[in-house]
Amino acid sequence: MYVYDQHDQKIIDERVAQFRDQTNRYTAGELSEEEFLPLRLQNGLYVQRLAPMLRVAVPYGLMSSAQLRKLAEISRVYDKGYAHISTRQNVQLNWPLVAEVPDILADLASVQMHAIQTSGNCIRNTTTDQFAGVACDELQDPRPYCEIIRQWSTLHPEFAFLPRKFKIAVCGTEEDRAAIRNHDVGIELVTNDSNEIGLKVLVGGGLGRTPVIGSVICEWLDKKHMLTYLEAILRVYNQHGRRDNKYKARIKILVKAMGIAAFREAVEKEWEATKEGPSTLHDAVFEKARASFRAPDYSAFDAGETSAILHGECERDGIFKQWVTHNTEDHRVPGYRIVTLSLKSTGYTPGDITAEQMELVAGLADKYSFGELRTTHQQNLVLADVPVSDLYTLWQNLQSADLATANIGLLTDMICCPGGDFCALANAKSIPVAEAIQTRFDDIDYLHDLGPIELNISGCMNACGHHHIGHIGILGVDKKGQEFYQVCLGGSQAKDASLGKILGPSFKQDDMPDIIENILTTYLSQRQLEENFLDTYRRIGIEPFKERVYAKNN
Ligand code: HEM
Ligand code: SF4
């Protein structure tokens, strides 16, 4: 993974010292709440319902075991002994004390981590496929591109005060596992007619109050132009994006207002001035970035032999087999598999991980996956390079820590924002709804029979939980001071991205497991061979679901 040079380390060390001074002045009453606000936001510190929340940056979701171990220690010393994996692959701490945040940042800096640009109207963490570099369907590893964007965007003087926050995602695969169509800018690695790899660029996607699927602004861009082109997009946005209304300030609103053709024209015009300028990326820059993501020292396994061993283990142990089927993926190197650790066991808040679990995972990463791990935007963890011969032992270790639920991609592997339990913006709680659904649908055989289903929950229309792009989406709404839940169906975050359609009037919290059950029963009664939930929904439409859910006797 990318290792800081002196320059990177200096930036974050200096930032820790500055923020310590700012915090000291704030706690001594020398800085007002108002003066402290932009300073704390620049360091990832929000003020929330019960306590502040600190969002720690995890560049493109990649972490070392040492970093995870440090997070475990921080969560134990300064917080309540757990952390939360966010849908932008970052890590959030829900209970730090403001006065202790400088110490937390100093601890983070000791393992090359920080919280810079995890909030505020700047370019946020660039996200990517959690299987980057090891996926079988990958054209090229997207992480060097993300790292180049990280270096360029960190403390970029021109883009520190954009109209609103700005999020970029990159994917290098046939399948889109980074939800690039729902980002301010989405980049997909693609080939042109001459089989050269370049970038397909999408712009103006996003969720929140006005969900939009991004539009293609450029079908194929030479990779050397990545930064100059991004700069041109951001300049047009910085100049013309609305600043009078927070809800209309995102780039998606500007692209909609101008139309993609006019927006493209404005970007091309802006780009003319800088196209071959100093931000042009020469091959050496890519080579340097790629060197940070060189493949680990893989052993040469006999693929036939290892798969025979795995087959035998699966035959002996049906529960292990389920886990291998749902929580592991093919790896591009023979004899290895990619393993997803489920942070969605019944009884745990989706995406939360305890200090003990973090320490265990750090140890397992050292032992079985070259000391690295990844966070996923579905709020799980990934060990990317596990020898097939170690899978059984790894699984036993994970089982003992409730990290081996065989539910990846299934109903209970839900995305859930912190909602009213933590978030000051919430209209309703999300965690109890997630827990009630997990408890009702705890039967793993039933879940496997349902097939792939993405259920996403947000506690308000900001859509942190991505409810619009869940196959089933749940949105907390406020009705005269009471918490209610609106359901939408048919969203997708994949290449065939779509936004969910609202089912109808909202429901009470207690009714949610029944409502989901009615939706699932409708699907099961209508599905045709090999169809999954989304296929069935797309074939039959929303009406049959509506009829069942709102039937009088329901
Ligand atoms: C608890 C403190 C949090 C606060 C105050 C907060 C605030 C917000 C706000 C205001 C938006 C609106 C964006 C818009 O205008 O489009 C938003 C969106 C978002 N938040 Fe959060 N959030 C919090 C926690 C989280 C968590 C825990 C996650 C991940 C699980 C998350 C991930 C996101 C994502 C992915 C969006 C994206 C919508 C988009 O721009 O496409 N946030 N958040
Ligand atoms: S969706 Fe709303 S309630 Fe949930 S975390 Fe985001 S801002 Fe908070």
Side-chain angles (χ1 to χ4, degrees):
M1 66 190 276
Y2 179 78
V3 176
Y4 280 10
D5 61 16
Q6 277 176 323
H7 182 66
D8 298 285
Q9 192 66 46
K10 189 160 174 258
I11 290 175
I12 60 163
D13 289 344
E14 283 177 358
R15 181 54 82 84
V16 172
Q18 286 161 2
F19 191 61
R20 190 180 293 285
D21 179 55
Q22 290 158 353
T23 308
N24 286 345
R25 283 188 284 146
Y26 168 70
T27 47
E30 294 163 21
L31 285 181
S32 68
E33 205 67 62
E34 213 181 358
E35 287 165 322
F36 188 55
L37 176 98
L39 304 174
R40 67 169 167 78
L41 285 180
Q42 279 160 13
N43 292 286
L45 186 60
Y46 286 83
V47 168
Q48 283 305 307
R49 193 170 285 264
L50 305 165
M53 179 196 89
L54 182 68
R55 184 177 293 144
V56 178
V58 183
Y60 35 87
L62 190 63
M63 256 200 260
S64 69
S65 55
Q67 291 175 328
L68 187 63
R69 225 173 254 120
K70 183 58 84 181
L71 283 170
E73 184 192 312
I74 289 172
S75 78
R76 204 177 270 130
V77 174
Y78 303 101
D79 208 276
K80 293 196 177 181
Y82 74 96
H84 179 80
I85 310 296
S86 85
T87 47
R88 296 201 52 75
Q89 298 184 291
N90 289 327
V91 170
Q92 302 187 157
L93 296 168
N94 279 313
W95 304 94
L97 296 173
V98 173
E100 291 185 349
V101 170
D103 292 337
I104 299 178
L105 296 181
D107 283 3
L108 288 171
S110 74
V111 290
Q112 311 199 333
M113 293 185 96
H114 62 77
I116 299 167
Q117 285 183 211
T118 58
S119 56
N121 294 334
C122 52
I123 304 173
R124 301 288 189 88
N125 184 29
T126 296
T127 49
T128 193
D129 177 9
Q130 65 267 27
F131 304 152
V134 291
C136 293
D137 59 344
E138 189 169 84
L139 196 58
Q140 205 177 44
D141 187 347
R143 292 172 302 175
Y145 295 84
C146 298
E147 175 53 31
I148 291 169
I149 296 172
R150 184 195 74 80
Q151 292 182 18
W152 159 80
S153 62
T154 301
L155 304 182
H156 195 300
E158 189 179 341
F159 305 130
F161 296 98
L162 294 166
R164 280 287 274 126
K165 58 182 173 178
F166 200 87
K167 299 169 175 179
I168 304 173
V170 187
C171 83
T173 45
E174 189 54 40
E175 207 184 308
D176 176 7
R177 283 183 290 264
I180 64 163
R181 281 151 189 78
N182 304 103
H183 281 75
D184 296 297
V185 166
I187 296 177
E188 182 187 350
L189 304 182
V190 291
T191 47
N192 63 5
D193 294 340
S194 323
N195 223 15
E196 295 160 310
I197 296 178
L199 320 174
K200 178 173 178 170
V201 185
L202 290 95
V203 70
L207 301 174
R209 191 174 287 250
T210 318
V212 184
I213 308 274
S215 309
V216 176
I217 179 166
C218 179
E219 285 288 351
W220 191 89
L221 179 75
D222 189 323
K223 64 184 189 326
K224 74 175 181 183
H225 297 311
M226 179 170 76
L227 294 186
T228 54
Y229 199 75
L230 280 174
E231 263 163 10
I233 292 177
L234 274 144
R235 281 195 181 158
V236 172
Y237 170 53
N238 211 8
Q239 275 176 49
H240 302 290
R242 286 181 62 169
R243 290 174 193 265
D244 59 325
N245 180 338
K246 188 178 161 186
Y247 301 112
K248 298 195 168 156
R250 298 293 292 265
I251 196 171
K252 61 191 173 188
I253 305 293
L254 179 66
V255 173
K256 262 192 147 181
M258 289 175 76
I260 184 67
F263 184 81
R264 181 183 296 117
E265 209 173 296
V267 169
E268 298 274 336
K269 191 152 182 288
E270 182 66 50
W271 191 37
E272 270 168 29
T274 56
K275 193 168 174 179
E276 297 290 345
S279 299
T280 306
L281 295 166
H282 301 293
D283 288 347
V285 178
F286 282 98
E287 275 156 34
K288 190 160 175 258
R290 282 204 192 102
S292 297
F293 304 97
R294 217 175 273 132
D297 207 0
Y298 292 119
S299 303
F301 289 112
D302 180 327
E305 209 173 289
T306 49
S307 87
I309 295 171
L310 182 63
H311 185 74
E313 286 165 342
C314 287
E315 287 312 298
R316 275 196 299 281
D317 192 329
I319 302 176
F320 174 65
K321 185 178 178 179
Q322 281 179 343
W323 178 80
V324 171
T325 308
H326 291 279
N327 295 31
T328 78
E329 303 272 332
D330 289 340
H331 194 289
R332 65 178 178 79
V333 178
Y336 285 85
R337 281 191 86 74
I338 309 169
V339 174
T340 303
L341 280 48
S342 173
L343 298 183
K344 316 292 175 64
S345 291
T346 306
Y348 288 82
T349 300
D352 278 4
I353 179 162
T354 65
E356 291 71 29
Q357 287 173 322
M358 285 187 256
E359 276 158 0
L360 179 96
V361 172
L364 295 173
D366 281 338
K367 218 163 166 182
Y368 301 114
S369 201
F370 300 98
E372 279 183 10
L373 66 141
R374 294 119 184 263
T375 52
T376 83
H377 87 270
Q378 286 95 350
Q379 305 178 288
N380 291 312
L381 294 178
V382 164
L383 294 178
D385 299 293
V386 180
V388 168
S389 47
D390 289 330
L391 280 176
Y392 197 80
T393 326
L394 172 67
W395 170 71
Q396 287 174 317
N397 277 288
L398 292 173
Q399 260 200 329
S400 68
D402 287 335
L403 293 168
T405 310
N407 64 349
I408 298 304
L410 305 178
L411 182 76
T412 54
D413 180 19
M414 49 185 93
I415 295 179
C416 177
C417 84
D421 287 291
F422 299 102
C423 179
L425 302 172
N427 286 326
K429 291 194 175 66
S430 348
I431 296 168
V433 176
E435 283 175 348
I437 296 170
Q438 277 177 330
T439 307
R440 169 75 67 92
F441 302 102
D442 194 30
D443 178 347
I444 203 86
D445 291 328
Y446 179 70
L447 294 178
H448 290 168
D449 180 43
L450 289 172
I453 297 187
E454 290 168 12
L455 180 92
N456 297 359
I457 311 178
S458 304
C460 79
M461 63 169 77
N462 284 319
C464 299
H466 296 192
H467 63 277
H468 304 289
I469 49 171
H471 301 168
I472 301 175
I474 298 177
L475 164 66
V477 289
D478 174 274
K479 285 213 286 198
K480 298 189 185 119
Q482 297 242 42
E483 296 184 5
F484 277 83
Y485 297 86
Q486 197 178 68
V487 172
C488 57
L489 296 182
S492 163
Q493 58 167 4
K495 210 154 231 180
D496 60 351
S498 54
L499 299 169
K501 226 168 141 177
I502 296 170
L503 189 65
S506 53
F507 309 98
K508 285 198 245 152
Q509 190 187 109
D510 290 349
D511 294 336
M512 287 315 289
D514 289 340
I515 302 302
I516 299 300
E517 187 160 345
N518 279 324
I519 291 169
L520 297 174
T521 315
T522 311
Y523 153 58
L524 289 176
S525 67
Q526 298 268 352
R527 83 166 156 193
Q528 293 176 353
L529 221 59
E530 301 293 320
E531 265 186 348
N532 64 32
F533 179 85
L534 192 61
D535 298 332
T536 304
Y537 171 84
R538 285 182 173 164
R539 182 173 51 79
I540 67 176
I542 204 161
E543 282 310 317
F545 294 95
K546 227 179 209 170
E547 276 165 29
R548 171 101 194 196
V549 169
Y550 295 104
K552 279 253 162 2
N553 55 0
N554 277 329

